[in-house]
Amino acid sequence: MADDEDGTSGGPTDGEESASDADPVELGVELLSKLEHPELSVAEAVDRIETVTTHPATTRKILDEAEKRGVIERENGIVTTTGGGYVSFQSEVVTKEGDFSCQRCGASISTGHFIKLDAGEHGAFGPECIRKVTGRD
């Protein structure tokens, strides 16, 4: 999904849900706070952030804000999570039927997985990508 200049995605199309009203920085920081792996490369962290925005300045702002808030630490190309948070598949992931495009890989999917975060609902993701984004795989 393409980003506007401010780093947010456009509105939903053909039944596609969107978290366009959520602040992409807040959504990205909260997503980073829910990473299960204690260490990731910056590239792996950016892969997850790119489900929120592909705008380079917004991506940097998310990483900077997450570090400033103590959610992550960055050193030598490694992102270390500090919160030990995770996404509960029972309570924080919901599925919806419809015509969606996966926010991570762009595949057309009929069952979308959405992460319920305080900053907003994030998705849709296919079954494999939801596991990648949440750090289960």
Side-chain angles (χ1 to χ4, degrees), residues 3 20 25-27 30 32 35 44 53 64 69-70 97-98 103 105 107-108 116 119 130 133:
D3 289 338
S20 62
V25 174
E26 291 301 317
L27 202 57
E30 190 172 354
L32 288 175
L35 297 178
E44 290 170 318
T53 182
D64 291 346
R69 293 184 192 179
E97 298 298 320
Q103 289 285 93
C105 72
S108 180
K116 295 188 312 185
I130 189 70
V133 170

Side-chain angles (χ1 to χ4, degrees), residues 2-136:
D3 289 338
D4 296 333
E5 281 186 37
D6 65 355
T8 60
S9 299
T13 59
D14 297 332
E16 186 176 347
E17 298 275 336
S18 175
S20 62
D21 57 338
D23 178 358
V25 174
E26 291 301 317
L27 202 57
V29 169
E30 190 172 354
L31 188 61
L32 288 175
S33 78
K34 301 279 188 172
L35 297 178
E36 289 199 28
H37 297 292
E39 271 190 10
L40 297 170
S41 69
V42 170
E44 290 170 318
V46 168
D47 180 56
R48 287 160 173 84
I49 293 170
E50 284 179 340
T51 66
V52 175
T53 182
T54 56
H55 192 269
T58 306
T59 298
R60 278 190 301 277
K61 191 172 182 179
I62 290 168
L63 288 167
D64 291 346
E65 189 63 26
E67 189 171 29
K68 180 178 155 186
R69 293 184 192 179
V71 171
I72 63 168
E73 294 175 356
R74 289 186 286 178
E75 190 172 333
N76 299 324
I78 299 294
V79 171
T80 306
T81 59
T82 60
Y86 66 94
V87 172
S88 168
F89 272 72
Q90 280 87 18
S91 63
E92 294 177 300
V93 175
V94 295
T95 57
K96 298 178 185 180
E97 298 298 320
D99 293 321
F100 305 104
S101 293
C102 177
Q103 289 285 93
R104 183 172 179 273
C105 72
S108 180
I109 51 177
S110 59
T111 301
H113 295 77
F114 295 81
I115 306 169
K116 295 188 312 185
L117 301 170
D118 290 340
E121 195 172 79
H122 186 46
F125 300 101
E128 291 179 26
C129 288
I130 189 70
R131 295 185 64 76
K132 290 274 188 192
V133 170
T134 59
R136 298 284 166 98

